[in-house]
Amino acid sequence: MGTYRMCGCFTRKFKIIEAAPPPDVIAAFEKYAEGGPQMTAEQLHRFLVDVQGQGGAKVSDAEEILLQVLQKRHHMAKFRKHALTLDDFHHYLFSADLNPPIDNKVHHDMTAPLSHYFIYTGHNSYLTGNQLSSDCSDVPIIKALKRGVRVVELDLWPNSTKDDVDVLHGRTLTAPVELIKCLKSIKEHAFSASEYPVVITLEDHLTPKLQAKVAQMVTQTFGKMLFRPESECLKEFPAPEDLKYKILISTKPPKEYLEAQTNKDKEKEKDSDDDVWGKEPTELTAEQEDEKTDSDASDNNQDDEDSDAFEPEVDSSRAPGYKSLIAIPGGKITGRLKEALKVEPDKVRRLSLSEQALEKATVSYGTDLVR
């Protein structure tokens, strides 16, 4: 007999795992489905009137919702019973298309200082794709602003001829976009989704001469929209209500950028014998682990490209116009994280932490972080 080889082909189906319905959704379903496994159009209508507050809703409206949910979630919807399962009901409640907000108006108190709020924030807002090789463009910025993003990040680098400013992800293959194009797009679309302020955070890798050029571009582009502190440093954040239709600039003051770079250079010169980074976590003492946490936070205060980006001959006095634009100074972490989290009574600042450092800070210094 001969020997044979057989090749079999198999198909494998993957299903997206959805979050399980929370207890309050389960309770609502059980109540209005009257304990049954499915909710009819009549029962959904009762839910719309009683819970959603849609007094003008009709049974036909409930039937239309039911049909849309089934068509969206089930390929053979026309062969299914016209009723919602618990998962269908859950999907409907959290669908922005099928169940949009009844009232989009802001109902919170917006008169507290800006630091009292969580803010919808973008990171590398200019990238069209991955952080290594995609194009930089103002299009993602426009899309973000239309979604309601209130903080836009721009990485500033000299262009190829060193006489203008580009936005790009430094030390990568990303194709740049001109800063002025991004600024004009921000001005045009900043308040298309919300009247509350937009903060532009600048990762600055520029010479003083180009910083002065940025100051000129920002001032000319935004004009009266630009929020400029009356004093060199704000003592308290203004309220969102007072900052409607305003643009705020946040970055490290030029002098602090130089100090941060100098500190990093000194760290690199330390004797490797004193370094604990190469050790296993079990080898670290509690004190060393705490110091490592602080160092992690400090190292992640800015993107990695900060480390060798800034030119050492910086003189902050040569860019006074640039410094005066900074409404929210970027804070740097020197020393222990607990000290960095202390609130300065007469000075506002922004403290940048990586997600890993933030997670550690919530465990070790939760009270300080909330304050």
Side-chain angles (χ1 to χ4, degrees), residues 245-293:
Y245 301 106
K246 290 292 185 181
I247 303 288
L248 284 74
I249 303 297
S250 178
T251 187
K252 279 187 179 180
K255 183 179 178 182
E256 291 190 19
Y257 249 120
L258 178 57
E259 290 174 352
Q261 172 60 21
T262 302
N263 289 336
K264 286 187 177 182
D265 290 340
K266 289 180 180 178
E267 288 293 329
K268 289 179 181 179
E269 294 171 3
K270 282 187 177 180
D271 190 344
S272 60
D273 291 340
D274 297 330
D275 191 12
V276 298
W277 292 96
K279 296 182 181 180
E280 291 297 320
T282 53
E283 298 179 44
L284 301 178
T285 65
E287 183 179 354
Q288 287 173 324
E289 181 62 33
D290 189 36
E291 289 174 356
K292 185 174 182 295
T293 299

Side-chain angles (χ1 to χ4, degrees), residues 157-169:
W157 294 81
N159 68 350
S160 58
T161 55
K162 309 296 184 184
D163 61 353
D164 208 343
V165 181
D166 281 340
V167 174
L168 73 152
H169 201 236

Side-chain angles (χ1 to χ4, degrees), residues 156-166 168 170-171 176 205-214 217 308-311 313 318:
L156 307 186
W157 294 81
N159 68 350
S160 58
T161 55
K162 309 296 184 184
D163 61 353
D164 208 343
V165 181
D166 281 340
L168 73 152
R171 309 291 193 244
H205 310 274
L206 305 175
T207 62
K209 185 176 180 180
L210 288 178
Q211 287 177 343
K213 187 163 189 174
V214 170
M217 282 192 279
D308 56 358
F310 200 77
E311 300 193 6
E313 72 276 7
R318 290 174 58 190

